[in-house]
Amino acid sequence: MQDLIEKAGLVKMLVLDVDGILSNGQIIYDANGIETKAFSVQDGVGIKSLARYGILTAIITGRNSPMVNKRAAEIGIDYVVQGRDDKLIALKELLSTLDPALDITAADCAYMGDDLPDIKALQTVGFAATVPNAHAEVISRSDMVTTRAGGMGAVREVCDLILKGHGCYQDFIAHYTLDEVPAQDNLS
């Protein structure tokens, strides 16, 4: 586990798939043909926590959905790329648009995906994560498999691990408790 925490400590940007990661992977249409998705509030808190400590976030998804833009705006996702079947090309293009001063390469990214279109991106980044119900080929190529399913707090597990790797987790938790921050995790 310590190796995983150390690896997560190198992450400068978390890149997320949507269906099966930020949502449970189901695509539901109402009677008018409008697509809906459910998102985890816990994932949202985790994503916001990364921003507090300067870790960027991005979405790369194969589908186009206005609700993804809405959710991304609500929780402060830095970059949203939709309608891209080739996640690796989308990741490379996203990285090429970043300010060079950020000094972020694929090796500095964590990527979280659950199906075959995510594999090349997972193989390219420095930290690859997935969910327990992901395709077996994805699981076999991931550094971390969360205990929770997509849309049910899986992203939060990865966010918490990244914060632990950066030495910020106890400081983050201290915002919500009356506990003192242990000296080794204190950022001041």
Side-chain angles (χ1 to χ4, degrees):
M1 181 65 161
Q2 188 59 37
D3 289 344
L4 203 53
I5 292 171
E6 289 174 17
K7 199 170 198 177
L10 301 174
V11 171
K12 295 180 182 178
M13 181 165 71
L14 173 61
V15 182
L16 303 163
D17 181 26
V18 174
D19 296 315
I21 298 297
L22 280 170
S23 77
N24 67 6
Q26 294 179 329
I27 298 168
I28 302 167
Y29 296 101
D30 70 12
N32 298 315
I34 304 296
E35 179 182 329
T36 62
K37 298 180 190 297
F39 299 101
S40 167
V41 172
Q42 290 182 356
D43 288 345
V45 171
I47 289 166
K48 287 179 180 181
S49 75
L50 295 182
R52 177 178 285 166
Y53 298 100
I55 299 159
L56 299 175
T57 52
I59 287 174
I60 296 177
T61 181
R63 299 176 57 81
N64 284 299
S65 173
M67 69 194 70
V68 169
N69 286 331
K70 180 174 177 44
R71 181 64 176 154
E74 285 176 348
I75 60 177
I77 300 275
D78 298 294
Y79 306 97
V80 178
V81 180
Q82 295 197 64
R84 299 299 300 273
D85 291 328
D86 192 318
K87 307 288 183 77
L88 178 57
I89 291 175
L91 175 62
K92 288 179 178 180
E93 289 174 358
L94 171 62
L95 291 172
S96 74
T97 67
L98 299 180
D99 181 341
L102 293 172
D103 191 32
I104 297 177
T105 67
D108 301 314
C109 294
Y111 185 94
M112 195 169 181
D114 70 316
D115 210 347
L116 299 178
D118 299 304
I119 290 177
K120 289 178 184 176
L122 287 163
Q123 290 178 306
T124 303
V125 297
F127 185 86
T130 194
V131 293
N133 60 320
H135 191 283
E137 296 296 333
V138 172
I139 290 173
S140 71
R141 290 168 174 84
S142 294
D143 299 305
M144 176 185 184
V145 179
T146 61
T147 60
R148 294 184 177 195
M152 303 298 289
V155 172
R156 177 60 173 279
E157 287 184 42
V158 173
C159 292
D160 285 353
L161 188 72
I162 291 169
L163 291 179
K164 287 175 183 176
H166 282 267
C168 304
Y169 181 75
Q170 291 303 324
D171 181 73
F172 169 64
I173 295 300
H175 287 78
Y176 299 97
T177 70
L178 299 175
D179 304 341
E180 288 188 35
V181 178
Q184 75 271 13
D185 197 52
N186 195 329
L187 299 178
S188 48

